Amino acid sequence: MAWFEREFIAVPEDGKNRMVYKWPDVNIRRFSRAIVNADEIALFVKTGKVVAALGPGRHRIDAQELPVLGALVDAVSGGNFYRAELYFVSTREFPGIKFGGRLADIMDPVSEQVVTLRAFGEFALTVRDPAELITSLVGTADLASPTGVQTWSSDLLLKAMRVAVTQGISGGEWPILGLPAHLRSIEDAVLRQTNLTLYEYGLRIARLGNFDITLAPEDADRLKRLAKDITYIRMTGDFQRYAAGELALGASAGLAHAGDAGGSGLLGAALGFNAIQPHTAVPQATAGGATADEGQRSLPAAQQNCGSCGTGNPAGARFCMSCGTKLSEQRHCGSCGSELSAGARFCNSCGAPAGG
């Protein structure tokens, strides 16, 4: 039974989607058949070095076909086993690998505010050199893990993006509040930076997809408010005028919601108005002891009398508030222009006939 269990060596079904699959046994029986799929390469590794490679197809594990394996025969087993690590490396592209997290704390050159950047997205990974991948990542990434290489590559991409984006923002190439408009150039810079590092590991990121760089929500709100303040100050000419305008808007909002907010809202609105009101002159007293404002408030409002019942109605009224009779249009003296009361035949200012 053991012979048939080890007669064929191939990637199992649950390992088809792995970039690297490590055969679990380092004792490989002589004359076993290794099945390598069309998008795979099989590598025999001994003491950290690749000693043999198998391309797609069926191969017999024997020193006659692979002479280099002759030095790997286990003498203890009577020469029936080769001792080596066997890796199956997929050569196809692996898209949709996710990455993301905190990118960096950086100072915005425009506002001089320190903000936190975050990046999220996907990328496509492919193997450039299977031998370099195995020999370089042994001891660095867990090659036996189903997602070991992808996770390691994702972390490396985030580090490279941190360097590229920080340099671009600090150099004034990309504004923090306008990063989405520069995602294409950011992607090119990040791919160059990342692939330079991945080259020595035999990997390559083909492209990024659905990625974005964002600000922490509180930082985004803070920069937007600051940008608005700077724009308004530039429009008004100085900070004092802008501050006065902001107080006026706050006071108006307080008065508008005074009924809902109660006395505290009304008090806040009043304080806001008082803060922006200029110093006014003290009203001068009239000869009778009353101020000019009080004298103006004591003047009766203009009225028009109903021609039917004689009731005085407010100026501009169209119907009598007592009997409902439609009020006639207001007439004026043809000589002095004074208003004439309803039914008047002579002007009470100059005495001229009403129709004159």
Side-chain angles (χ1 to χ4, degrees):
M1 178 63 69
W3 171 267
F4 292 104
E5 288 178 354
R6 298 189 181 184
E7 186 176 5
F8 292 97
I9 298 175
V11 177
E13 288 298 323
D14 59 356
K16 295 293 187 182
N17 293 324
R18 298 187 188 183
M19 179 171 287
V20 178
Y21 176 80
K22 182 180 179 181
W23 186 251
D25 196 349
V26 296
N27 296 317
I28 302 174
R29 184 183 293 275
R30 292 183 65 185
F31 308 119
S32 295
R33 295 288 181 175
I35 302 174
V36 183
N37 294 324
D39 58 350
E40 295 173 347
I41 292 180
L43 301 175
F44 291 90
V45 179
K46 183 72 172 181
T47 64
K49 295 182 180 180
V50 176
V51 296
L54 302 178
R58 289 174 174 263
H59 304 272
R60 188 176 70 171
I61 310 302
D62 182 53
Q64 292 183 357
E65 289 193 14
L66 301 170
V68 71
L69 293 181
L72 304 179
V73 174
D74 187 356
V76 177
S77 64
N80 291 322
F81 291 93
Y82 295 100
R83 291 184 62 84
E85 294 178 317
L86 177 58
Y87 293 91
F88 291 85
V89 180
S90 178
T91 57
R92 65 184 177 87
E93 184 178 285
F94 286 80
I97 303 174
K98 297 185 181 299
F99 73 94
R102 181 176 171 274
L103 197 59
D105 291 334
I106 186 173
M107 186 180 73
D108 179 18
V110 177
S111 63
E112 298 184 351
Q113 299 291 308
V114 177
V115 296
T116 300
L117 295 177
R118 300 182 299 181
F120 301 92
E122 300 176 351
F123 65 96
L125 185 65
T126 185
V127 176
R128 183 188 61 82
D129 188 323
E132 284 190 8
L133 172 65
I134 297 301
T135 57
S136 300
L137 287 185
V138 171
T140 301
D142 186 5
L143 297 180
S145 172
T147 59
V149 177
Q150 289 91 328
T151 301
W152 179 84
S153 301
S154 176
D155 294 339
L156 190 64
L157 170 63
L158 202 61
K159 293 178 182 178
M161 183 174 291
R162 181 179 298 114
V163 174
V165 172
T166 301
Q167 290 177 348
I169 293 176
S170 300
E173 184 178 357
W174 304 318
I176 284 184
L177 284 180
L179 282 179
H182 300 275
L183 288 182
R184 173 58 63 182
S185 58
I186 293 175
E187 178 180 351
D188 295 339
V190 169
L191 286 180
R192 286 195 303 269
Q193 183 73 31
T194 308
N195 285 330
L196 280 176
T197 305
L198 288 178
Y199 186 87
E200 59 182 287
Y201 293 99
L203 293 169
R204 184 177 68 88
I205 292 181
R207 62 185 177 278
L208 300 179
N210 299 323
F211 89 101
D212 194 10
I213 301 176
T214 61
L215 288 168
E218 59 274 11
D219 291 337
D221 293 340
R222 179 158 50 93
L223 287 185
K224 289 178 181 178
R225 289 196 303 270
L226 184 59
K228 183 198 72 170
D229 293 346
I230 293 174
T231 301
Y232 285 172
I233 290 173
R234 187 181 300 115
M235 293 173 59
T236 56
D238 58 60
F239 178 78
Q240 291 183 350
R241 292 182 180 178
Y242 167 64
E246 285 290 294
L247 287 173
L249 291 175
S252 299
L255 286 177
H257 297 85
D260 296 332
S264 60
L266 185 59
L267 177 60
L271 291 175
F273 273 120
N274 290 335
I276 63 172
Q277 287 297 328
H279 294 289
T280 57
V282 178
Q284 299 296 325
T286 60
T291 63
D293 289 342
E294 292 175 349
Q296 291 178 357
R297 287 196 298 268
S298 63
L299 293 177
Q303 293 185 350
Q304 52 180 331
N305 296 326
C306 176
S308 177
C309 65
T311 302
N313 293 275
R318 300 177 59 187
F319 296 90
C320 178
M321 61 182 181
S322 178
C323 65
T325 302
K326 183 176 181 180
L327 302 176
S328 60
E329 296 295 334
Q330 184 65 53
R331 297 183 301 158
H332 295 80
C333 175
S335 298
C336 66
S338 300
E339 294 183 357
L340 300 177
S341 59
R345 301 176 59 188
F346 295 91
C347 176
N348 60 357
S349 295
C350 64

